[in-house]
Amino acid sequence: MRKRVEDFIRKQELFGTGAQVLAAVSGGADSVCLLYLLAQMREEWELEVRAVHVNHGLRGGEADRDAAFTENFCRALSVPCRVRQVDVRGLAASQGLSEEEAARNLRYQALEEEAESWEKESGCPVRIAVAHHGDDNVETILHNLFRGSGLKGLGGIRPMRGRIVRPLLTVTRQEILDYLKEEGLEYCMDSTNGSGDYTRNRLRLQILPLIQSEVNERAAEHILQAAERMYQADVYLEEQARRWLLQYGAAEGRADWNGAADGRADWNGAAGGRADRNAAADAGRNAEKGMLAVQEAPMRVGADAARLLREPAIIQTYVIRHMIGEMTGTKKDLTSVHVEDVRELLEKQAGKQADLPYGLMARRTYDYLWIEQKMEKKQEEELPFSLPEIETAVFSFEKGMKIPENQYTKWFDYDKIKGTLSVRTRQTGDYFLLPGGGRKTIKSYLIDEKVPAPLRDRVPLLADGSHVLWIIGRRISEGYKVTDETKTIMQIHISGGKENG
């Protein structure tokens, strides 16, 4: 047992010689095994080991028994021990959490506080060792599968997360019990572990045994193998999303990104006083989290919508998740429904938006998909804005030519254009023609399309006088559409406007 655990610690680089390790000890079999192994390793590894026991206050005298047992066990091993009392029911009631989730939150909070206190005292980093084992990992994977988690959740429990390490992930619950019996070690039994009130208990006591007896006795082993492949796929796709955004993304806000003079960064190197992401220093690439070397979160992060729309759906999903992560520093509480709502904006008209957690929203402009902080009307009016640039071409129309379906390349009947075309925002009297010849004002159209009032004066138009040929990124007027009678085509293609809101 000790050799397997030590080999796992070395392979996963959980900690090295001379480390300070804070063990979470409940008094149950798993944590007793963990603390005993760490204590046995102290001399050879030159470890300094301490223990923390968290009393959740849920099991009355049984909880007090576990605390006393842990203190005595630590004393026998000459391991300093702290007992922390937390109010699980109070937190669950105040925040609308299950007792299971509230207990977990308070437990990790207590461990982090003890680790930080030790670090301040010693000036050296502290690892928090918890006693999750291989069977816990299988339960977590199944739990995440049934909840509809993505690849990250299906990758299971990782050996290390921040300062938290899990040295026992390489062994099973039965192996732990056998080891404790061989070593003559006692431990506490938690009566709630046999209850069917908790989801994980039902997975452990009912569902997994049924799978092993009726489907495959090696199911747990195979689940862990599949999880490792899921984890590797998730890491790969995360990296692809990061690289994609480095090339085709943009960010705007308060922070200093790689020395940009105006506090903005454009990851594809657009002009306008922004940093060229490809020529910038490697600070952002080497940052421990995310893409940007920032002191504050950006006000908004964008992706080239036309390019992203051409990517496979899985890349779109990961790019969107990465964008939200850049804004928040976390993806907790972000569901597949949120991501799909944002992804659907890629095929919608400019001005469409979707709400997200953390006070964020996603918004589609005519060239970008933005993830941004929700703002008051005045703040929205102050967003950077410039009209797009257009490229034009005139050529003869021949039968069999296919009209482009690209959202930003349109064909018009050149002979129906009476004046000089202009790209501008709306003016009083602007209109376009509907099928059948009816008119509709631009004002009415934008109201019907639910474009927010502060943004209606930012919608770019291609106009021939007051007659609008094209509400750019949205629709064109019937009065200029190509028909069987068309002889000459004017092709208009949007080519600029990287910061249009």
Side-chain angles (χ1 to χ4, degrees):
M1 172 70 78
R2 176 175 166 182
K3 183 179 187 307
R4 283 179 59 189
V5 170
E6 288 182 337
D7 288 346
F8 184 73
I9 292 170
R10 291 189 186 96
K11 180 180 179 181
Q12 299 295 332
E13 299 180 344
L14 303 187
F15 53 80
T17 303
Q20 296 182 157
V21 183
L22 182 69
V25 184
S26 67
D30 307 333
S31 63
V32 164
C33 177
L34 173 65
L35 183 61
Y36 183 74
L37 287 168
L38 291 172
Q40 298 303 306
M41 294 167 55
R42 275 181 300 192
E43 183 175 352
E44 182 179 341
W45 285 63
E46 300 177 6
L47 300 181
E48 186 173 352
V49 180
R50 295 184 183 181
V52 173
H53 175 87
V54 179
N55 187 335
H56 300 111
L58 296 175
R59 295 179 293 119
E62 187 177 287
D64 295 335
R65 176 209 67 187
D66 293 351
F69 171 87
T70 300
E71 287 183 302
N72 290 332
F73 182 62
C74 290
R75 192 177 299 113
L77 296 175
S78 299
V79 173
C81 178
R82 283 287 304 277
V83 175
R84 296 281 298 261
Q85 187 84 28
V86 296
D87 182 8
V88 171
R89 289 195 176 97
L91 181 67
S94 65
Q95 297 190 9
L97 304 174
S98 68
E99 288 187 357
E100 191 176 11
E101 185 175 6
R104 181 185 184 280
N105 291 347
L106 288 171
R107 183 166 61 252
Y108 278 103
Q109 178 182 328
L111 291 168
E112 289 288 346
E113 288 172 356
E114 291 295 327
E116 289 175 7
S117 175
W118 192 2
E119 285 187 349
K120 289 179 181 178
E121 172 192 322
S122 67
C124 298
V126 172
R127 291 285 186 262
I128 299 172
V130 294
H132 293 115
H133 49 72
D135 291 354
D136 289 326
N137 204 1
V138 172
E139 292 165 19
T140 296
I141 294 160
L142 289 176
H143 188 242
N144 289 341
L145 175 65
F146 299 149
R147 289 195 314 161
S149 295
L151 290 178
K152 188 176 295 295
L154 297 179
I157 304 172
R158 305 317 306 165
M160 178 184 289
R161 177 175 60 83
R163 72 168 102 224
I164 296 170
V165 296
R166 301 179 172 93
L168 300 186
L169 273 186
T170 190
V171 297
T172 68
R173 167 75 171 183
Q174 189 57 53
E175 288 172 327
I176 289 172
L177 295 176
D178 292 342
Y179 178 71
L180 295 180
K181 184 176 180 180
E182 291 172 6
E183 296 294 315
L185 296 173
E186 296 181 351
Y187 54 89
C188 296
M189 295 290 293
D190 183 342
S191 60
T192 62
N193 286 340
S195 168
D197 294 339
Y198 297 108
T199 302
R200 288 186 177 275
N201 288 353
R202 292 194 292 272
L203 286 169
R204 179 189 313 121
L205 301 174
Q206 301 170 26
I207 295 175
L208 186 56
L210 182 63
I211 293 172
Q212 290 171 320
S213 65
E214 300 296 330
V215 180
N216 190 321
E217 64 180 9
R218 298 177 62 191
E221 177 185 343
H222 295 160
I223 289 169
L224 292 175
Q225 291 172 352
E228 187 59 29
R229 291 192 289 271
M230 297 284 191
Y231 170 73
Q232 291 172 6
D234 179 69
V235 170
Y236 173 78
L237 290 168
E238 286 279 10
E239 177 62 14
Q240 294 303 109
R242 188 187 71 85
R243 289 176 180 271
W244 193 96
L245 278 168
L246 286 174
Q247 189 169 3
Y248 302 120
E252 296 177 355
R254 300 175 293 258
D256 177 14
W257 291 302
N258 295 336
D262 63 353
R264 300 178 189 163
D266 186 339
W267 296 327
N268 59 13
R274 297 170 176 163
D276 182 343
R277 186 65 185 181
N278 295 326
D282 288 336
R285 292 183 176 89
N286 294 334
E288 182 175 314
K289 289 186 177 180
M291 294 171 297
L292 303 175
V294 299
Q295 286 84 47
E296 297 182 62
M299 286 298 293
R300 61 176 183 168
V301 173
D304 185 315
R307 289 184 182 274
L308 188 55
L309 193 55
R310 294 197 293 269
E311 297 290 347
I314 188 68
I315 295 297
Q316 294 173 8
T317 295
Y318 270 79
V319 167
I320 290 166
R321 287 180 58 84
H322 211 112
M323 291 165 66
I324 295 170
E326 286 296 327
M327 293 291 295
T328 65
T330 179
K331 301 184 183 88
K332 189 177 185 293
D333 300 327
L334 182 66
T335 69
S336 58
V337 174
H338 293 128
V339 175
E340 189 60 26
D341 286 346
V342 177
R343 200 170 72 83
E344 288 177 358
L345 293 181
L346 290 171
E347 300 190 46
K348 292 186 178 180
Q349 299 172 334
K352 296 294 185 180
Q353 58 191 50
D355 289 332
L356 294 168
Y358 312 110
L360 299 179
M361 62 177 289
R363 181 163 58 183
R364 180 71 155 89
T365 65
Y366 72 87
D367 58 352
Y368 264 45
L369 175 68
W370 291 99
I371 306 294
E372 57 193 24
Q373 298 284 347
K374 290 179 183 175
M375 290 177 285
E376 301 296 332
K377 177 179 178 180
K378 183 177 179 181
Q379 291 175 299
E380 288 188 328
E381 291 171 347
E382 294 173 352
L383 280 174
F385 173 73
S386 65
L387 289 168
E389 300 170 6
I390 62 172
E391 299 171 355
T392 64
V394 178
F395 49 85
S396 297
F397 180 60
E398 300 177 5
K399 288 185 178 180
M401 282 185 168
K402 185 178 180 180
I403 298 176
E405 298 180 357
N406 188 311
Q407 193 172 5
Y408 301 114
T409 300
K410 298 297 180 185
W411 282 7
F412 302 92
D413 189 323
Y414 178 70
D415 297 318
K416 295 178 181 178
I417 299 172
K418 306 302 181 185
T420 301
L421 298 182
S422 62
V423 178
R424 57 175 176 79
T425 54
R426 64 175 179 161
Q427 297 176 359
T428 303
D430 283 346
Y431 70 93
F432 65 98
L433 295 184
L434 301 167
R439 283 191 179 196
K440 186 164 190 170
T441 65
I442 297 300
K443 178 180 179 180
S444 296
Y445 171 80
L446 295 176
I447 292 173
D448 290 346
E449 288 296 304
K450 296 182 173 54
V451 175
L455 303 181
R456 293 172 195 162
D457 289 328
R458 293 168 169 265
V459 176
L461 308 173
L462 179 66
D464 179 6
S466 293
H467 190 167
V468 174
L469 287 73
W470 185 14
I471 306 170
I472 295 174
R474 294 172 178 266
R475 63 172 297 170
I476 67 174
S477 172
E478 290 291 322
Y480 297 91
K481 277 192 171 180
V482 175
T483 68
D484 291 340
E485 306 300 320
T486 299
K487 295 181 173 59
T488 308
I489 297 292
M490 171 171 273
Q491 175 177 286
I492 307 289
H493 174 69
I494 298 298
S495 60
K498 291 299 180 186
E499 66 178 43
N500 287 274

